[in-house]
């Protein structure tokens, strides 16, 4: 499978309550709203957005990924409001080993309601059906119980703790590793 073939025209994915679609410039305010929340970025590798310029920089990074036909996130749109409430998608894709890693972020106003599990299940299905993955991974900070629940509700299995696995905001952090296999 060639990345450009899959991501050359990132398809819209739809769930019961959500539309997963490419981010657009007009999503700037909604993205800034959740990305500027320190609780959202508490356990992420990125810092909370301090200004709309930070959000524009993030969006331009994503738009470049779309232009390059490479792995890029979907915006998670709430069907009821038509507003972006988060992002999800693959952050890496190892085509040789048929595996990829999922990442996600969600506005705090939507936490605990099953929105991200719903979105991640759709992304997992896309990974197995379209990308022909054998293994899908996701990681989170050991204290991020909300993210752990998303992975578990999405059918992923906890594999263990990767000690001092990544450098986050100047500190080497442990991460919890989860995965799901195509035969599961």
């Amino acid at each position: 499978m060639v990345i450009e073939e899959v991501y050359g025209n990132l398809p819209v994915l739809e769930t019961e309550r959500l539309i997963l679609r490419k981010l657009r410039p007009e999503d700037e305010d909604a993205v800034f709203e959740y990305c500027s929340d320190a609780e959202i970025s508490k356990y992420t590798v990125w810092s909370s957005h301090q200004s709309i310029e930070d959000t524009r920089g993030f969006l331009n990074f994503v738009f470049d990924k779309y232009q390059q036909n490479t792995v890029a996130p979907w915006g998670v749109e709430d069907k009821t409001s038509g507003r972006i409430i988060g992002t999800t998608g693959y952050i890496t894709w190892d085509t040789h080993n048929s595996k990829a890693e999922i990442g996600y972020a969600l506005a705090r106003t939507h936490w605990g309601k099953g929105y991200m599990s719903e979105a991640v299940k759709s992304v997992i299905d896309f990974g197995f059906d379209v990308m022909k993955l054998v293994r899908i991974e996701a990681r989170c900070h050991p204290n991020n119980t909300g993210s752990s629940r998303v992975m578990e509700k999405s059918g992923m299995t906890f594999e263990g703790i990767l000690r001092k696995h990544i450098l986050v905001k100047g500190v080497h952090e442990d991460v919890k590793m989860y995965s799901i296999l195509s035969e599961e």
Side-chain angles (χ1 to χ4, degrees):
M1 183 63 53
V2 178
I3 294 173
E4 293 82 9
E5 290 174 10
V6 173
Y7 282 90
N9 189 17
L10 189 66
V12 172
L13 305 178
E14 191 168 344
T15 70
E16 182 182 339
R17 300 178 293 169
L18 304 169
I19 295 172
L20 278 60
R21 61 162 174 85
K22 285 183 175 181
L23 290 167
R24 301 187 288 248
E26 57 267 28
D27 298 321
E28 176 180 281
D29 290 338
V31 173
F32 177 71
E33 187 177 310
Y34 73 84
C35 285
S36 62
D37 184 339
E39 278 300 304
I40 305 292
S41 63
K42 183 176 182 178
Y43 297 120
T44 66
V45 296
W46 48 273
S47 297
S48 60
H49 294 190
Q50 301 302 305
S51 71
I52 198 72
E53 290 304 318
D54 292 339
T55 303
R56 287 184 187 132
F58 166 69
L59 288 173
N60 287 331
F61 170 80
V62 172
F63 299 153
D64 285 346
K65 296 285 188 185
Y66 293 156
Q67 285 294 110
Q68 296 167 16
N69 301 326
T70 191
V71 176
W74 282 275
V76 178
E77 179 184 309
D78 179 357
K79 283 184 180 179
T80 303
S81 69
R83 191 165 171 84
I84 290 294
I85 59 170
T87 54
T88 188
Y90 291 95
I91 55 175
T92 63
W93 181 5
D94 177 347
T95 55
H96 177 76
N97 291 301
S98 303
K99 69 178 184 172
E101 181 179 350
I102 291 178
Y104 45 84
L106 183 67
R108 190 167 13 153
T109 54
H110 290 75
W111 285 3
K113 299 175 184 174
Y115 284 99
M116 194 48 72
S117 298
E118 187 175 319
V120 168
K121 285 177 188 175
S122 183
V123 171
I124 287 171
D125 289 345
F126 180 84
F128 290 138
D129 297 343
V130 177
M131 297 166 67
K132 305 300 181 199
L133 298 173
V134 172
R135 175 184 168 88
I136 297 171
E137 302 173 345
R139 300 175 292 169
C140 71
H141 188 281
N143 295 335
N144 192 342
T145 56
S147 188
S148 292
R149 280 196 303 267
V150 166
M151 290 182 250
E152 291 161 2
K153 286 173 61 179
S154 300
M156 301 183 100
T157 300
F158 174 66
E159 293 188 333
I161 302 284
L162 303 176
R163 299 177 311 143
K164 304 284 186 204
H165 188 68
I166 56 174
L167 181 64
V168 179
K169 302 168 189 162
V171 178
H172 286 90
E173 297 279 358
D174 296 348
V175 296
K176 292 173 80 173
M177 173 65 82
Y178 287 79
S179 71
I180 187 169
L181 305 177
S182 56
E183 61 265 22
E184 296 175 334

